Amino acid sequence: MKKLVILASGSGSNAENIITYFKDRDVVQVTCVLTNKASAGVLKRCQRLAMPAFYFNRHAYDNGQLLKFLASQEIDFIILAGFLWKISEDIVNAYPNKIVNIHPALLPKYGGKGMYGSHVHEAVKANNETETGITIHFVNENYDEGNIIFQARTKISMEDTAETIAEKVHALEYEHYPKIIEKLLGNG
Ligand code: GRF
């Protein structure tokens, strides 16, 4: 049984999708969800799904308490699903190639600090891109720069808005992220 933990800062629709995907698969266990935002929508989702969820603040993060917690849970993988803080060096070092993120664009384009959520889709629209997509990648010490594991693309038409682009990207995320995680964990 492989154990994973999900880190999320926002609505948590990807977190929910991953939890639901692995619910009936006894080879992978989502042990809990961790969030740095006390008001994050992901907490409500976890309540509904009966998934343990914990909030941690900046102090706990900076003092290595998150790392201690992860070690105590004996987890194999850390899955980022809309987690907005940079992963600290001690965590990156403790989990080499075991931390995975999903980015809502085709990296290396539209990545880096400040490029998250609607900012990404607005920038894609402003540049009249004809396609966008998702990037699933390992996490290193720099935002959105770890090795790319998987990308999927979707076309953008002139009529698309940042909102409809976001919907297309979310659809790709829901389709692919759980499957790629499953493969990485050696069960795909
Ligand atoms: C997703 O678009 C993901 O690619 C990005 O943050 C967003 C999170 O959305 N990293 P949600 O909270 O899973 O709904």
Side-chain angles (χ1 to χ4, degrees), residues 19 44-53:
I19 292 164
K44 279 225 168 70
R45 291 182 194 265
C46 287
Q47 213 172 12
R48 178 162 45 75
L49 297 164
M51 170 59 54

Side-chain angles (χ1 to χ4, degrees), residues 21-45:
Y21 183 86
F22 287 117
K23 195 165 163 276
D24 301 319
R25 287 170 166 79
D26 49 12
V27 282
V28 175
Q29 183 197 2
V30 180
T31 56
C32 64
V33 171
L34 302 174
T35 185
N36 62 325
K37 205 171 165 208
S39 60
V42 71
L43 289 173
K44 279 225 168 70
R45 291 182 194 265

Side-chain angles (χ1 to χ4, degrees), residues 8-16 42 45 80-84 101-105 116-117 121 134-135 166 169-170 173-174 177:
S9 305
S11 151
S13 65
N14 276 283
E16 175 165 0
V42 71
R45 291 182 194 265
L80 308 186
F83 182 67
L84 295 183
N101 184 41
I102 188 162
H103 187 78
Y116 62 90
H121 309 305
I134 59 168
T135 303
V169 168
H170 266 308
E173 292 177 340
Y174 302 151
Y177 204 14

